[in-house]
Amino acid sequence: MPRFAANLTMMFSEVGFMDRFAAAAGAGFDAVEYLFPYAFDAHRIADALQRNGLTQALFNLPPGNWDAGERGLAALPDRQDDFRASVRTALAYASATGVGRVHVMSGLADRADPIAHKTYRASLAYLCDAAGATGLDVLIEPINPRDMPGYFLNDFNQAADLIAEMALPNLKLQFDIYHRQIIHGDVLTGLRELMPIIGHVQIAAVPLRNEPGTGELDDARILRELDALKYDGFVGLEYRPAGDTVAGLSWLTALR
């Protein structure tokens, strides 16, 4: 089975965020991810990782004003100063936590707008250059329009074409199985075709985003396919537990 990373934004919500590191370690995890760490001091997070023997698998760049509805800045031409500031912030947290990859959200923008496309490419080039200097991979993730209407990057083919065209060695795909199923379906074929550019995988049951194995997909078979494809990265458990987090981990115990 792959190496799993507990998503601390969604899992272990029974306790406060800084207590979730110990909770994840106590449940048998050796890696974690989350959406955004920026409400907490980077060195405090680094200490929690070290004390609990955890690897930081992933986090996102600052998304702009999340509470006001922003979902990333990379494709927004009038927010490029803020985007570059967000890069500096994310790289400081990356340095403190030792994370190897960061996800950058595109933002809400019209896919038919050529200025948004130009801005997005420029943002990715800037971030990949800055991140590459420290050995970081940059991930882009298509997000389905049902959960996030208006999101600029909402197609796996678009993401794959962009990665091929830009040919940046540290620009990779974040393959979220939940989003893939909702956008395109054909999850196994997608994994097989896109594996050379995949830098991170996430999983949740479709359609309710609860524990794997509780939805319409054979998640256990998908995870076995990752082994067959020799995927050696993390699988982020970006799901919302239907009840108590630890009780809900029975699906993972059964796999092992």
Side-chain angles (χ1 to χ4, degrees):
M1 283 290 108
R3 186 178 181 187
F4 295 104
N7 188 294
L8 300 188
T9 300
M10 295 185 175
M11 301 174 70
F12 302 102
S13 61
E14 298 86 357
V15 297
F17 180 77
M18 290 305 304
D19 293 324
R20 296 176 193 177
F21 295 86
F29 290 99
D30 63 5
V32 295
E33 64 175 37
Y34 37 73
L35 296 184
F36 312 111
Y38 308 108
F40 302 90
D41 180 77
H43 298 289
R44 187 181 174 201
I45 291 175
D47 180 65
L49 292 166
Q50 183 177 15
R51 280 188 290 106
N52 292 288
L54 295 168
T55 296
Q56 183 68 57
L58 173 77
F59 58 77
N60 296 348
L61 265 69
N65 190 337
W66 186 270
D67 291 338
E70 289 189 323
R71 295 295 183 265
L73 304 173
L76 308 184
D78 59 342
R79 299 297 303 280
Q80 287 307 285
D81 288 343
D82 292 327
F83 174 75
R84 293 190 174 210
S86 80
V87 171
R88 293 190 292 272
T89 298
L91 293 184
Y93 274 78
S95 176
T97 62
V99 73
R101 61 207 56 78
V102 292
H103 168 227
V104 54
M105 299 185 74
S106 65
L108 307 181
D110 184 357
R111 276 187 60 190
D113 181 1
I115 297 176
H117 279 275
K118 182 178 179 180
T119 302
Y120 189 46
R121 287 170 174 265
S123 295
L124 293 179
Y126 176 85
L127 173 56
C128 285
D129 181 63
T134 61
L136 276 173
D137 283 341
V138 171
L139 305 177
I140 58 174
E141 175 192 29
I143 296 178
N144 80 79
R146 185 168 72 201
D147 284 4
M148 200 170 288
Y151 193 70
F152 181 75
L153 185 65
N154 61 8
D155 184 282
F156 278 72
N157 298 319
Q158 175 195 9
D161 289 346
L162 181 64
I163 290 169
E165 291 164 11
M166 295 192 72
L168 298 169
N170 61 332
L171 180 61
K172 299 182 180 180
L173 177 67
Q174 185 165 310
F175 192 108
D176 188 306
I177 291 161
Y178 169 82
H179 291 303
R180 171 72 190 199
Q181 174 66 3
I182 294 172
I183 296 171
H184 300 291
D186 216 9
V187 171
L188 291 178
T189 297
L191 284 171
R192 292 164 186 156
E193 292 179 348
L194 298 173
M195 185 54 62
I197 62 170
I198 291 175
H200 189 67
V201 174
Q202 292 177 322
I203 193 168
V206 182
L208 298 182
R209 208 167 188 171
N210 296 145
E211 284 85 349
T214 62
E216 65 193 32
L217 294 176
D218 185 345
D219 292 308
R221 181 184 177 192
I222 293 169
L223 292 170
R224 290 195 298 270
E225 183 66 18
L226 286 174
D227 284 343
L229 292 169
K230 302 188 185 309
Y231 173 70
D232 60 359
F234 294 99
V235 173
L237 304 183
E238 196 181 43
Y239 68 80
R240 300 185 187 96
D244 178 78
T245 299
V246 174
L249 290 173
S250 58
W251 72 270
L252 188 52
T253 304
L255 282 179
R256 290 171 170 167

